[in-house]
Amino acid sequence: MNDIEGEARPYLSAMIRGNLAMPLSAQGATAVATWAVKTSLMVQRTGSEPANLEQVYRSFYEARRPTPECMVWAALIDDEDWALRAECRGMLYAAPGQSVSPDDPPNLLTVTIGLGSLLLYTIVDPILGNATWNLTEAFRGALVPLWPDPRPVTWPPRILHPIEAWGVCEYMPMLLS
């Protein structure tokens, strides 16, 4: 996994310091998204109730890229509360025609990572699919989509207000519950 760290490091370092003031290439967006998914999957493993995402872990390990179930957004933030933080939320959803029990492990994951001036938001959703989530519109240009459709993006975006950051972390997952 060290190759993932090495590929993302130049972009992440600049974004964390708030120094990247240029377009982020599709290659850079993919590198940051890959690092965000890898880190999100590792953060999830440290929780008390790991999600049931074994196929996502296997696919990510094999491809060394986010799977189609993964979505990643980045934001610029100026808030001490997010300077070094990771918030992980696991949820349990039933696929159409499927039933779940409250005893089943979570099968959908959201992780918000704050590092300096950078906020990364990752959703791993093998149940509902990425067409369900449109955070770019919801946060009026403050959240920049990096994955599943990596393309050059203008960085920095509008600064995400601290209340919006908490909204991403706490309330976006509840929109589907």
Side-chain angles (χ1 to χ4, degrees):
M1 294 290 159
N2 191 46
D3 54 331
I4 292 172
E5 299 283 333
E7 190 177 347
R9 186 173 293 117
Y11 307 106
L12 284 172
S13 295
M15 294 168 88
I16 289 167
R17 289 191 309 270
N19 293 340
L20 185 65
M22 61 183 176
L24 181 63
S25 67
Q27 177 183 356
T30 298
V32 171
T34 302
W35 183 89
V37 169
K38 183 229 15 131
T39 302
S40 295
L41 292 172
M42 295 302 104
V43 165
Q44 188 271 152
R45 285 286 196 201
T46 66
S48 60
E49 187 177 14
N52 183 15
L53 300 169
E54 293 309 315
Q55 184 56 49
V56 174
Y57 278 90
R58 275 193 289 284
S59 297
F60 181 82
Y61 180 78
E62 290 167 4
R64 300 289 202 266
R65 289 287 182 247
T67 65
E69 300 91 356
C70 299
M71 292 139 282
V72 180
W73 293 264
L76 178 67
I77 188 161
D78 183 17
D79 181 21
E80 291 293 318
D81 282 344
W82 285 101
L84 184 57
R85 170 183 226 110
E87 297 285 337
C88 182
R89 305 283 186 270
M91 292 161 278
L92 178 62
Y93 286 96
Q98 196 178 48
S99 63
V100 295
S101 160
D103 297 329
D104 290 340
N107 55 11
L108 188 146
L109 174 69
T110 69
V111 178
T112 311
I113 300 169
L115 295 168
S117 296
L118 177 62
L119 186 118
L120 293 165
Y121 187 65
T122 302
I123 298 173
V124 180
D125 182 357
I127 303 302
L128 301 170
N130 62 33
T132 306
W133 303 87
N134 187 358
L135 302 184
T136 307
E137 294 296 321
F139 288 91
R140 300 175 316 281
L143 284 177
V144 175
L146 301 180
W147 191 267
D149 185 20
R151 61 180 77 167
V153 297
T154 302
W155 193 269
R158 170 180 72 79
I159 294 176
L160 189 70
H161 189 276
I163 291 174
E164 290 177 306
W166 283 106
V168 169
C169 177
E170 296 288 335
Y171 302 112
M172 290 311 291
M174 288 191 271
L175 290 179
L176 295 175
S177 28

